[in-house]
Amino acid sequence: MEGCCVFMQKKRLPRTLLLLAVMVGCGGRYDASVTGIVTLDNEIVPAGAISFIPVEKGPPAYARTDESGGYEVFTGNEAGLKPGQYGVTIVARHPPKENRSGLGGPPPPGERITPRWYGSSRLSPLIYTVESGSNEINLELTSEPPPGWSPPKKNRRRR
Amino acid sequence: MTTTQQLTTRRFSTRKAFTLVELLVVIAIIGVLVALLLPAVQAAREAARRMSCANSLKNIGLACLNFHDVSNKFPQSVPQWCWEDKTADCLNGASVAENLNDDPPMGCNGQGWIVNILPQLEQQSMFDRIKTELATPAGMASHNPRGRGMGVTSLRDIVSTQLPVITCPSDPSAKPSQEQYYWDQRGAITATTSYKGCVGDTLLSVDAVACSTNVDPPMTDQSGSPDVHGTMSNNGIFQRTSIWSPIRLKMVTDGTSNTFMVGENVVSVDFHSAAYFSDGDWATAGIPLNYLPLNLSVDDFKDGNISKSVRGFKSLHPGGAQFVMADGSVHFIQEDIDTATYRGLATRDSQEVVSLGF
């Protein structure tokens, strides 16, 4: 009798608790998840803003890279995204030179680190198919322009 | 006899107390029950907060429509610098730079649209104080950061009044703040708003140029109208800090039940949230719903690389955000809404075929 109870205490209970924890923890909103690392010419890109734009209909997903270039995709404020085909855009910038505009608002953004064509949904060559389950997509950017790329005219800017 | 007595005593003593194992089993069962119950209780509390939030939105929506009944236009913000209307230039394909008047005419006081509806929200005395102060020479001048217009020091007690009707109970950061752009330079405390007027689906370009589609993610240059940047007419119910084009109900040709009027905001990620100020009370659907990079610091948000991308609609309610439509009805919009539908609901006159599907 006592042996049985010891068995319950030591083996069954943790297992039951683990099962419960798994049951409570499951049930995310989205079927797919995407993580990966962003590099430009094999160097890590920190503080990059990424968007996953569905090729067909659907909500866009987004991510930000951390100091080590890693990212995880979110839709709204939950991790994950719907499976499907996505065009990917990415822009990473240096910190702005000033911390405030002369007028009291936010300063203009810093210089781009990533090449311009990766920031445009029309020009970005990054297209990926996201499957159900976890996906690893390492965004390997190069500073080599895609064929047909011509730099745009510089816009006037007033600070 | 003695043995029987001993036996009885022992039996009684075993009945009087639980064994350690029994106790642990009971505690474990109670623990499991509590673990099952707690998420349900938390969900019920969040549901109650969401209902309270929907109630505030409903009141704001009704106040806007009552204001329209009185004034024949929707509430309007007044810019802190008077912009020139450059819509025609932009339509002609010209690049329109930000056009800030260095010496703006009197009356460009930075008064937000929420000030318009204070009488409809039963805050007539607040409205009267603001009206009186804005009629003084300092109150009529522009440049809020320099203590003029809405920034006059005699109005500080009013602009720091956090009304419950502009405060979502799910957002603990919706409280008076010293960190709001334009106000923080002089340490002014302002109330913050959980509810922002929808200016349509305009993009917010990094070069601050009207007609530009030069944006950073999460915005995309294919979803959203080109940047209006205060110098062009918006396609929503509210204007982006500009006084010169009142919006009337008859201009909402997409249908009032298919057009967002006011939606939700999370103050902790958006330092453009000063409640009674014209550059703190609008948001755009050109940014994905609920874009909420919560793990960043205040310095990150204020560094100018991110500050534009957080000016969409967002809320801490799980799964989406609430909006009041131009007909006064409140709806919960799921955050996985299709981009084209979301943009279509934000514009007032773009002739998309969209509906809420309720």
Side-chain angles (χ1 to χ4, degrees), chain B residues 84-102:
Chain B
E84 261 180 78
D85 183 355
K86 295 280 189 178
T87 312
D89 293 2
C90 189
L91 293 176
N92 288 333
S95 172
V96 179
E98 197 172 339
N99 193 343
L100 300 173
N101 259 320
D102 285 332

Side-chain angles (χ1 to χ4, degrees), chain A residues 5 9 13 17 20 29-30 49-51 53 57-60 62 64 75-78 82 89 91 93-96 100 103-107 109-110 112 116 120-122 155-156 158, chain B residues 21 24-25 28 32 81 95 98 100 102 145 181-182 184-185 206-207 209 214 216-217 220-222 272 288-292 302-307 315 319 334-339:
Chain A
C5 284
Q9 280 298 309
L13 196 63
L17 285 179
L20 267 168
R29 198 180 166 89
Y30 302 103
I50 304 170
S51 57
I53 306 148
K57 284 169 78 78
Y62 63 85
R64 292 197 68 81
T75 307
N77 54 14
E78 285 185 54
K82 291 183 172 180
T89 62
V91 172
R93 290 178 180 279
H94 292 291
R100 190 53 56 93
L103 299 163
R112 275 171 194 264
R116 282 190 86 95
S120 158
S121 56
R122 277 179 285 255
N155 273 319
R156 280 187 293 146
R158 179 185 159 143
Chain B
V21 171
L24 285 174
V25 167
V32 166
W81 299 282
S95 172
E98 197 172 339
L100 300 173
D102 285 332
Y181 284 121
Y182 301 104
D184 51 356
Q185 283 186 315
V206 293
D207 38 18
V209 169
N214 183 13
D216 278 4
T220 76
D221 48 359
Q222 283 182 333
H272 279 106
L289 181 59
N290 272 4
Y291 177 66
L292 271 175
K302 295 193 110 175
D303 83 356
N305 282 354
I306 296 167
S307 58
S315 91
Q334 303 282 339
E335 66 193 17
D336 58 357
I337 186 172
D338 174 58
T339 309

